[in-house]
Amino acid sequence: MTVRVTPAAGWVRVRAAVTGLPEGERCTLVVVGRDGSRTTAGSWVVGAGAREGEGKGAALDGSAAVAPADVAAVVVENESGKRFVSVPV
């Protein structure tokens, strides 16, 4: 996963490119604060076929009401809480 976090006034914009996730997983993009707080920035279902899925990946745009200085990491996990990837910020 590659992540770009762009500061805004008291919140952040998140752009993530994610590959290698299992088809059919219901995933969530989460912004983790330095205090351990968690804010959902987006969610999706990993698709199948030539344009999506494990091989191709997904590009996601989201936002989170977290102060830019408080962002510690961006993670992708499924709805059961299994963490697939984490990128420190």
Side-chain angles (χ1 to χ4, degrees):
M1 175 169 72
T2 59
V3 175
R4 181 177 62 199
V5 176
T6 305
W11 56 283
V12 292
R13 292 181 180 95
V14 181
R15 166 156 260 196
V18 186
T19 60
L21 299 176
E23 179 183 331
E25 286 287 347
R26 299 177 66 83
C27 293
T28 304
L29 186 66
V30 179
V31 175
V32 180
R34 297 199 186 283
D35 64 356
S37 61
R38 300 164 46 84
T39 304
T40 299
S43 62
W44 75 104
V45 176
V46 179
R51 303 180 80 182
E52 300 176 356
E54 254 184 82
K56 186 68 176 172
L60 307 160
D61 290 307
S63 60
V66 177
D70 293 338
V71 176
V74 177
V75 302
V76 172
E77 61 190 26
N78 68 11
E79 59 187 4
S80 299
K82 177 182 177 185
R83 183 176 288 190
F84 290 109
V85 63
S86 177
V87 175
V89 175

